[in-house]
Amino acid sequence: MLFYVAIKLCPRCRRPFLVEKERCPHCPEPYTWNQESLANVGCLVAMILPLFVLILFWLFLFLGAFFR
């Protein structure tokens, strides 16, 4: 009695996995954007805060020369 097992190769890691599974169990789940996540707010702050600090630095540097 022979059993036929259908496998396919993952395009990402090149490991074999069963055809019945939707995605490779070895690879991490694909990232999906979640607007309600606080990590997204942290990323936004991490991008904008250094720019704000840089603008304030130059503003105080130039205005400090006039209000001395």
Side-chain angles (χ1 to χ4, degrees):
M1 185 182 256
L2 292 174
F3 291 103
Y4 178 70
V5 178
I7 61 172
K8 60 182 176 180
L9 288 177
C10 174
R12 193 173 190 187
C13 67
R14 296 288 186 210
R15 287 181 166 175
F17 66 99
L18 295 175
V19 172
E20 291 90 23
K21 297 191 178 188
E22 186 176 318
R23 59 174 195 82
C24 178
H26 305 289
C27 294
E29 289 193 20
Y31 178 74
T32 57
W33 178 260
N34 180 8
Q35 291 99 358
E36 298 166 357
S37 173
L38 288 177
N40 294 331
V41 175
C43 274
L44 186 64
V45 168
M47 285 189 315
I48 293 177
L49 190 63
L51 182 64
F52 184 68
V53 169
L54 188 66
I55 290 171
L56 281 179
F57 170 75
W58 288 110
L59 182 73
F60 287 141
L61 185 74
F62 289 133
L63 290 180
F66 293 115
F67 293 110
R68 210 166 154 188

